[in-house]
């Protein structure tokens, strides 16, 4: 499986987004992870489509948009128009899952489903044939800088056994150590916010994460 690193811009300096994106380019990041929070699905508010559209103008790395919002169906068009290349939304949301996946795909974007730590991985099984990726959260969604939950690893193993070729993404508490644990469990797409942007050399940290994911 291809190992991909997706820096989470949530931990970056929002006053200097272009410079922060340049660090991702320098580190050869595979994706850019953009966390959208509505203050309802999660108790926090982050950025929306207009900010993503501005970032898209200065970055050609594919955008991986993680919707932590209650009604993703209603906003799919906005995020596709803003430049999302892949959109993940949660099985625990209030929108119809199948309709939301179909809408994402019909607009020419890749669809991914995300599960919170407490949600069984079986929740994504009915949709696997349409999904480009599954996001297994390794923290409760809503905030950066939380501790990685190793208890989630069996869910990744189960999914990897069922889908040998699927992109399986992990998000939350990924650093130079936990990336190895998640990689051994079967994940191949790694989101990291604090570990990258709070480090002295974000570009170098991206390559360290990539190396350690293979151990
Ligand atoms: C949390 C977000 C994550 C967050 C990860 O709800 O989905 O993408 O930015 O941050 P770190 O890597 O700091 O745990
Ligand atoms: Zn995220």
């Amino acid at each position: 499986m291809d190992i991909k690193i997706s820096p989470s811009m949530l931990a970056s300096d929002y006053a200097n987004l272009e410079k922060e994106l340049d660090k991702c380019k320098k580190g050869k990041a595979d994706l850019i992870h953009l966390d959208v929070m509505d203050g309802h699905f999660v108790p926090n508010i982050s950025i929306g489509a207009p900010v993503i559209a501005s970032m898209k103008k200065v970055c050609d790395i594919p955008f991986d948009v993680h919707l932590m919002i209650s009604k993703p169906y209603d906003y799919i068009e906005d995020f596709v128009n803003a430049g999302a290349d892949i959109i993940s939304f949660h099985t625990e949301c209030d929108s119809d899952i199948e309709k939301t996946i179909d809408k994402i795909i019909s607009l020419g974007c890749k669809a991914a489903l995300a599960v919170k730590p407490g949600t069984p991985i079986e929740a994504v099984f009915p949709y696997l044939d349409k999904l480009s990726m599954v996001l297994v959260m390794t923290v409760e969604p809503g905030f950066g800088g939380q501790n990685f939950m190793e208890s989630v690893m069996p869910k990744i193993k189960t999914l990897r056994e069922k889908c040998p070729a699927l992109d399986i993404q992990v998000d939350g508490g990924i650093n130079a150590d936990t990336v190895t644990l998640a990689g051994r469990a079967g994940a191949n797409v790694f989101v990291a916010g604090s570990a990258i942007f709070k480090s002295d050399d974000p570009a170098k940290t991206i390559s360290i994460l990539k190396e350690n994911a293979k151990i």
Side-chain angles (χ1 to χ4, degrees):
M1 290 296 299
D2 268 3
I3 304 286
K4 298 176 199 168
I5 306 295
S6 189
S8 168
M9 302 309 291
L10 188 67
S12 74
D13 176 2
Y14 276 16
N16 289 290
L17 283 170
E18 187 169 5
K19 280 189 197 152
E20 298 288 66
L21 288 166
D22 283 344
K23 293 175 189 171
C24 300
K25 272 182 223 169
K26 192 176 164 208
K28 299 193 168 58
D30 303 278
L31 298 163
I32 299 293
H33 187 81
L34 297 149
D35 290 296
V36 177
M37 306 178 186
D38 64 356
H40 187 260
F41 183 78
V42 290
N44 199 6
I45 297 176
S46 59
I47 56 163
V51 177
I52 293 174
S54 296
M55 292 165 79
K56 189 74 181 179
K57 288 182 196 151
V58 296
C59 182
D60 52 15
I61 301 170
F63 276 16
D64 152 34
V65 176
H66 178 193
L67 299 182
M68 286 162 276
I69 64 179
S70 294
K71 295 186 173 178
Y73 181 86
D74 299 356
Y75 298 91
I76 296 306
E77 234 164 315
D78 288 354
F79 288 102
V80 173
N81 291 338
D85 294 278
I86 180 159
I87 295 179
S88 56
F89 68 98
H90 278 260
T91 58
E92 306 89 353
C93 75
D94 296 334
S95 295
D96 184 282
I97 294 175
E98 187 106 41
K99 279 187 189 159
T100 307
I101 293 172
D102 288 346
K103 185 155 191 180
I104 295 170
I105 295 172
S106 75
L107 293 170
C109 195
K110 290 180 181 165
L113 258 182
V115 285
K116 292 186 190 184
T119 301
I121 196 63
E122 287 75 13
V124 307
F125 285 5
Y127 314 101
L128 283 171
D129 57 335
K130 293 181 177 178
L131 298 175
S132 298
M133 185 172 81
V134 170
L135 165 49
V136 181
M137 292 298 300
T138 40
V139 297
E140 285 300 334
F143 299 91
Q146 302 181 78
N147 288 334
F148 177 81
M149 294 168 69
E150 200 173 345
S151 57
V152 169
M153 296 305 100
K155 282 164 55 172
I156 300 173
K157 280 193 184 129
T158 301
L159 185 60
R160 177 54 73 213
E161 278 162 21
K162 190 172 167 67
C163 306
L166 178 73
D167 274 344
I168 302 180
Q169 184 176 53
V170 281
D171 181 9
I174 296 294
N175 58 36
D177 300 319
T178 58
V179 75
T180 305
L181 299 175
R184 282 186 191 148
N188 69 304
V189 186
F190 304 88
V191 175
S194 313
I196 291 174
F197 290 104
K198 308 295 181 209
S199 72
D200 292 337
D201 188 343
K204 191 175 168 196
T205 303
I206 292 171
S207 57
I208 291 171
L209 290 172
K210 209 161 193 171
E211 275 312 304
N212 289 8
K214 293 176 197 159
I215 297 172

